[in-house]
Amino acid sequence: MAAEAHAPTASEYIVHHLQHLQNIKQTSIIDFSVVNYDSVIVSVAMGLLGLFVFWLAARKATSGVPGRFQAAVEIMVEMVDNQAKANIHNAESRKFISPLALTVFVWIFLMNALDLLPVDLLPAIWGQIYGAAGHDPHHAYLRIVPTADLSTTLGLSSAVLILCFFYSIKIKGMGGWAHELVTAPFGTSKNPVFALILGVVNLLMQIIEYVAKTVSHGMRLFGNMYAGELVFMLIALMGGAAAMSLSGVLLPVGHIIAGSIWAIFHILIITLQAFIFMMLTLIYLGQAHEAH
């Protein structure tokens, strides 16, 4: 006889919600052949939404008294532009970096904000669609917060690293940047042997610095959003426990209160994390313009 269907345990519930919609089943922690379709699709959708918001703001812009929407967009643009001027002193570079920073801030904010949706809302809808297509709805995996996916955040930080390389070469020249790689931070020596030793040490230190900045840049955003996602799952489990227990009459109330408090607090987190990622992007690109 087939085993009777049973409600998932707390661990099964969390494991299910942490599984990505992938092309294949992941076999190791680092597997570059795996594509998380949900992260790709949702991040592209949020990027298009951000572009639509910018287009709408530009379309409705007026030289007269601005409305609330235009005023909010202008405040955000001015804030990002001021931060760009404080970190990027090259006016020509700011023509690209300032819009880039604004895009990064809005895009990451929109991706982070998906964490405020009910945990089971979109996965349940996807499960119905997946089941209607003749598949097992229990295997309908979907994670809707791209920034809680390490591949997304490290991809963003790696793009910033590539831009740092680009501006280092553009501003200092290939020879100037190469010279910096082997002379900073410990300098060099007139003695050829010491100069060679210091050059190797300096190069290793530069590599470590670039890797550390890139990994920490992506990990900071991932860690905060992943933790927030887990908290929302635990709060959802509180409501599920109330539904399964007649004696737990206070749990639904606690579920609503805890969920509301955490959601309100999480608004600060998602905004702060988007701002921090944008600021670190500006700082790292500013460092690429400076000579050591």
Side-chain angles (χ1 to χ4, degrees):
M1 293 180 61
E4 295 183 1
H6 65 280
T9 64
S11 60
E12 289 173 342
Y13 175 84
I14 291 177
V15 169
H16 177 83
H17 277 280
L18 292 179
Q19 178 64 44
H20 285 281
L21 174 64
Q22 299 174 329
N23 56 333
I24 58 174
K25 185 176 180 60
Q26 191 167 359
T27 57
S28 62
I29 296 177
I30 300 178
D31 189 345
F32 293 103
S33 64
V34 174
V35 177
N36 295 335
Y37 291 131
D38 43 14
S39 295
V40 173
I41 293 172
V42 175
S43 60
V44 170
M46 290 302 99
L48 293 175
L49 177 60
L51 291 176
F52 175 74
V53 171
F54 289 142
W55 173 81
L56 196 63
R59 182 173 177 268
K60 293 187 175 183
T62 175
S63 58
V65 178
R68 294 181 180 179
F69 177 63
Q70 181 180 339
V73 172
E74 288 179 354
I75 291 173
M76 180 174 59
V77 171
E78 185 178 1
M79 179 270 295
V80 174
D81 189 57
N82 288 336
Q83 296 299 331
K85 289 179 179 177
N87 290 278
I88 311 295
H89 304 298
N90 188 307
E92 185 66 27
S93 296
R94 284 201 305 270
K95 292 180 180 179
F96 173 79
I97 295 177
S98 292
L100 171 69
L102 179 62
T103 303
V104 166
F105 176 73
V106 174
W107 190 22
I108 293 179
F109 173 82
L110 291 174
M111 290 191 287
N112 291 350
L114 292 173
D115 218 1
L116 299 176
L117 293 176
V119 173
D120 294 300
L121 178 60
L122 294 184
I125 294 174
W126 169 242
Q128 293 294 327
I129 298 173
Y130 196 76
H135 303 291
D136 184 0
H138 296 291
H139 294 128
Y141 302 114
L142 181 67
R143 290 183 68 182
I144 63 169
V145 185
T147 46
D149 179 6
L150 187 59
S151 61
T152 300
T153 58
L154 284 183
L156 291 171
S157 63
S158 296
V160 174
L161 176 65
I162 293 173
L163 284 174
C164 288
F165 290 159
F166 171 78
Y167 278 106
S168 293
I169 297 173
K170 180 181 179 181
I171 300 299
K172 307 165 190 175
M174 179 61 77
W177 184 47
H179 180 265
E180 180 180 279
L181 289 177
V182 295
T183 57
F186 299 121
T188 187
S189 172
K190 294 182 179 180
N191 187 300
V193 177
F194 288 149
L196 178 61
I197 295 174
L198 285 173
V200 172
V201 173
N202 287 328
L203 179 60
L204 290 176
M205 292 297 296
Q206 290 280 350
I207 293 174
I208 293 173
E209 180 182 354
Y210 279 121
V211 172
K213 288 194 299 186
T214 302
V215 173
S216 63
H217 197 190
M219 286 291 293
R220 180 181 289 103
L221 176 60
F222 161 75
N224 281 277
M225 298 312 302
Y226 185 83
E229 188 180 37
L230 285 177
V231 172
F232 276 119
M233 290 180 189
L234 294 174
I235 293 174
L237 283 171
M238 182 189 298
M244 298 298 294
S245 173
L246 294 177
S247 61
V249 292
L250 295 179
L251 280 176
V253 178
H255 170 65
I256 295 173
I257 294 175
S260 300
I261 292 175
W262 180 246
I264 294 171
F265 177 69
H266 206 58
I267 294 174
L268 174 62
I269 295 177
I270 63 178
T271 306
L272 184 62
Q273 289 306 313
F275 179 78
I276 290 174
F277 195 96
M278 178 203 73
M279 283 301 302
L280 289 176
T281 299
L282 290 173
I283 291 172
Y284 293 157
L285 291 176
Q287 291 176 345
H289 285 71
E290 299 173 357
H292 296 280

